[in-house]
Amino acid sequence: SAVISQKPSRDICQRGTSLTIQCQVDSQVTMMFWYRQQPGQSLTLIATANQGSEATYESGFVIDKFPISRPNLTFSTLTVSNMSPEDSSIYLCSVDPGNMNTEAFFGQGTRLTVV
Amino acid sequence: GNSVTQMEGPVTLSEEAFLTINCTYTATGYPSLFWYVQYPGEGLQLLLKATKADDKGSNKGFEATYRKETTSFHLEKGSVQVSDSAVYFCALSEKGGTGGFKTIFGAGTRLFVKA
């Protein structure tokens, strides 16, 4: 299993600003995922982050809004840019379990409120 | 693409009542199936899983059986406790387009258990 640390754990931001969320894993992983959980909703995959290449975004998410960095095998960042109240959500990072039979591991999440 | 459908909540039960949360999936092939739980104020954690047809996952008194013929993975517990109050997510694992295995979540079902 992997231990995933996310920070900040929560933040309140002004609209129009940007927030960068950090995700640190205690072991080297090839692939990391970023999810969004809007209030009362399920988790939606934003993008897949591979070390050494550009992130792959899911339908409805774009790099300009959610730029992702993956500088090494244990770390990734997600930036929420030009925020609006609709971006208020919990953002979670996760690591690739490595095979289909293994569960995913998640960070504790970053609770973002945009005012 | 693959998808997961689970019953809408919230579900409100009295302590010691029987719980069923329905979950069905659409997938090509035979994915692994999972139930995750999110307790108030906590991160997402695995509750149980099943990796092939007719497998039964179980944990903390919860059970779910992988039914290929009905493409279902219903969650059950014979006697719920107040401490079971949480949001429950049915999920499956699928191979991502860029490699790795990403998790597809159902909408989540909030359970309230009254003393």
Side-chain angles (χ1 to χ4, degrees):
Chain A
S1 65
V3 177
I4 304 170
S5 303
Q6 258 184 262
K7 59 181 181 182
S9 58
R10 59 176 64 226
D11 207 341
I12 300 173
C13 300
Q14 297 291 321
R15 67 180 68 200
T17 63
S18 297
L19 175 72
T20 295
I21 302 167
Q22 299 180 5
C23 181
Q24 179 76 51
V25 188
D26 69 342
S27 57
Q28 294 186 338
V29 293
T30 305
M31 207 158 293
M32 296 175 73
F33 303 103
W34 286 98
Y35 288 84
R36 180 177 72 181
Q37 186 179 18
Q38 293 177 300
Q41 304 294 315
S42 185
L43 285 80
T44 302
L45 183 64
I46 297 172
T48 302
N50 243 335
Q51 193 268 333
S53 62
E54 279 200 6
T56 301
Y57 290 83
E58 299 294 307
S59 175
F61 297 97
V62 296
I63 188 172
D64 290 346
K65 177 67 175 176
F66 297 102
I68 288 171
S69 78
R70 185 79 205 279
N72 58 52
L73 290 172
T74 63
F75 187 79
S76 179
T77 67
L78 170 76
T79 299
V80 186
S81 302
N82 188 25
M83 288 184 284
S84 67
E86 291 70 37
D87 295 320
S88 297
S89 296
I90 298 174
Y91 293 85
L92 298 103
C93 70
S94 173
V95 300
D96 176 26
N99 66 74
M100 190 174 287
N101 296 335
T102 303
E103 64 274 18
F105 297 98
F106 292 87
Q108 288 293 99
T110 297
R111 184 180 294 272
L112 170 63
T113 303
V114 184
V115 297
Chain B
N2 295 348
S3 65
V4 177
T5 303
Q6 62 181 105
M7 63 186 285
E8 291 189 20
V11 174
T12 302
L13 296 173
S14 297
E15 217 168 14
E16 299 183 5
F18 183 85
L19 168 71
T20 300
I21 301 177
N22 290 335
C23 171
T24 57
Y25 66 91
T26 302
T28 53
Y30 303 105
S32 292
L33 302 173
F34 306 87
W35 277 100
Y36 288 87
V37 59
Q38 190 174 42
Y39 296 103
E42 297 187 18
L44 201 64
Q45 57 186 278
L46 177 73
L47 179 61
L48 54 85
K49 68 179 181 182
T51 60
K52 60 183 188 295
D54 299 326
D55 263 4
K56 177 186 284 188
S58 61
N59 186 26
K60 300 181 181 180
F62 291 88
E63 293 182 340
T65 301
Y66 191 139
R67 301 284 188 201
K68 184 178 67 173
E69 62 278 9
T70 54
T71 61
S72 65
F73 193 54
H74 305 321
L75 182 68
E76 297 182 336
K77 186 173 186 181
S79 176
V80 294
Q81 305 301 311
V82 173
S83 57
D84 293 326
S85 298
V87 181
Y88 293 83
F89 294 93
C90 187
L92 61 80
S93 177
E94 71 172 22
K95 195 165 177 63
T98 55
F101 295 90
K102 59 184 180 181
T103 306
I104 306 300
F105 290 90
T109 302
R110 184 175 294 276
L111 171 66
F112 292 104
V113 180
K114 302 182 297 185

